[in-house]
Amino acid sequence: MRLQRGLEVSGRVLLMAGILPPAWLGGVAALSLAKILDNMEIGHNVMHGQYDWMQDPALDSATFEWDTACPADQWRHSHNYVHHTFTNVLGQDRDVGYGLLRMTDEQRWHPRDLGNPVYALALAALFQWGVALHDVELDRVVAGTKTPAEAREKVEGVWRKARTQVLKDYALYPALAGPAAPVVLSGNLTANLVRNLWTFAVIFCGHFPDGVETFTPEEAEGEGRGGWYRRQLLGSANFRGGPLLHLLTGNLSHQIEHHMFPDLPAHRYAEIAEQVRAVCAEHGLPYNTGTFPGQLGTVARRIASLALPGREDEPVASRLGQLVGRLNPLGR
């Protein structure tokens, strides 16, 4: 946390002198790293309760608040409960596409899915806002399965938190810079964009590379404790890297171990990974891992291919044929 605080202070001070290009670049780099550490290594793991045993008020999962638009209490519900309980179960785990993307061929194709890659790029660039609205369930409000009145309390919570974030990054700190306000504003915008793109990539590499499975509610119904662990394994994926990569991902580079033991301090995941892998080999279960660029590449390919109807593993020409048939059912 001292490193994160130091980076944030350094970044904001450098941006005050951001009229000089090296200072602006250094400020953006430091502030981006501070926001990434705050979200991934600190916020995500603290709010999982990984450090509650320390009884340190600064690391209390019940009261911790982070530097992002999503209210911590809503994140704890949408992530700790919904996502970690119903991991990769279609229609129950809202992380499967965030109510916006088609992420498996088991999801019925609609013409709007042609925009899948565009939606993904927009979600990545604005990821903190996607996460902020996650628990509001706007897609259900639009579909009429949730009333605006039911969503109102969550919307008000997001408004209170987001208002603070916007005022801090886009009004207060730029105002403190006086004539250099536009420079600070652009630096804060860029740091938030960098954090958004990074967190999107880490989260999607944890659940949507090649080989990761999704499940129907019927498949998850009545599963025992062993079945729950099996679903966490098959619904998650790791990627390899050095200590710096693990730190900047909040150790979600070990997504499999995280989903099996979400309240274990994240820096211990690497220590148990070999044991988990050995158990998988003993029971003939896959242990999905690869390089970060490799996993990210298969995620991008999945998002692009699922913009078209048909199975993800079908040739593009075949899926294009199905698209023509659906858009022109009379063959004219």
Side-chain angles (χ1 to χ4, degrees), residues 29-284:
L31 189 57
S32 299
L33 287 171
K35 286 178 176 286
I36 286 171
L37 288 174
D38 179 86
N39 277 205
M40 306 300 286
E41 177 61 17
I42 301 173
H44 173 271
N45 294 331
V46 167
M47 288 193 286
H48 261 294
Q50 294 178 3
Y51 301 103
D52 282 355
W53 58 275
M54 295 178 68
Q55 299 186 340
D56 182 339
L59 300 175
D60 186 343
S61 64
T63 58
F64 187 88
E65 191 57 79
W66 56 355
D67 180 20
T68 182
C70 181
D73 60 333
Q74 292 190 25
W75 184 86
R76 284 191 289 268
H77 174 257
S78 64
H79 183 84
N80 286 3
Y81 171 65
V82 177
H83 172 58
H84 274 270
T85 302
F86 306 104
T87 306
N88 280 27
V89 178
L90 298 175
Q92 296 181 347
D93 179 5
R94 296 184 52 76
D95 278 27
V96 180
Y98 281 73
L100 182 67
L101 305 176
R102 183 173 184 245
M103 295 306 302
T104 169
D105 50 35
E106 294 176 280
Q107 293 171 305
R108 185 179 178 184
W109 183 86
H110 298 276
R112 65 171 181 269
D113 295 323
L114 289 170
N116 224 33
V118 176
Y119 308 151
L121 288 173
L123 179 62
L126 302 170
F127 196 51
Q128 70 162 329
W129 299 103
V131 174
L133 295 172
H134 208 31
D135 215 27
V136 175
E137 301 181 329
L138 282 180
D139 55 316
R140 289 188 57 203
V141 176
V142 172
T145 58
K146 183 174 184 177
T147 67
E150 290 174 318
R152 181 175 179 178
E153 182 180 348
K154 296 290 178 68
V155 170
E156 290 176 346
V158 171
W159 165 246
R160 286 192 295 271
K161 179 66 191 297
R163 179 179 56 191
T164 303
Q165 291 297 113
V166 169
L167 288 174
K168 179 186 69 173
D169 277 344
Y170 305 133
L172 175 61
Y173 283 113
L176 291 174
V183 175
V184 174
L185 177 63
S186 66
N188 291 347
L189 272 169
T190 306
N192 280 324
L193 174 62
V194 171
R195 183 271 318 278
N196 290 346
L197 294 174
W198 178 254
T199 51
F200 173 91
V202 171
I203 298 302
F204 274 65
C205 281
H207 289 293
F208 305 111
D210 279 357
V212 172
E213 297 184 18
T214 54
F215 307 87
T216 64
E218 292 74 21
E219 288 173 319
E221 186 177 358
E223 67 182 7
R225 194 62 180 167
W228 182 88
Y229 277 110
R230 182 178 181 275
R231 179 162 53 80
Q232 302 306 314
L233 168 69
L234 299 180
S236 305
N238 288 1
F239 49 87
R240 299 187 294 271
L244 180 60
L245 179 68
H246 295 319
L247 175 67
L248 294 178
T249 65
N251 286 282
L252 291 181
S253 46
H254 292 93
Q255 190 74 248
I256 292 172
E257 287 73 22
H258 172 60
H259 264 264
M260 290 184 168
F261 309 102
D263 54 357
L264 180 73
H267 66 276
R268 308 297 298 271
Y269 292 150
E271 296 178 38
I272 65 171
E274 286 306 313
Q275 297 175 54
V276 173
R277 193 165 189 162
V279 170
C280 290
E282 180 182 349
H283 293 276

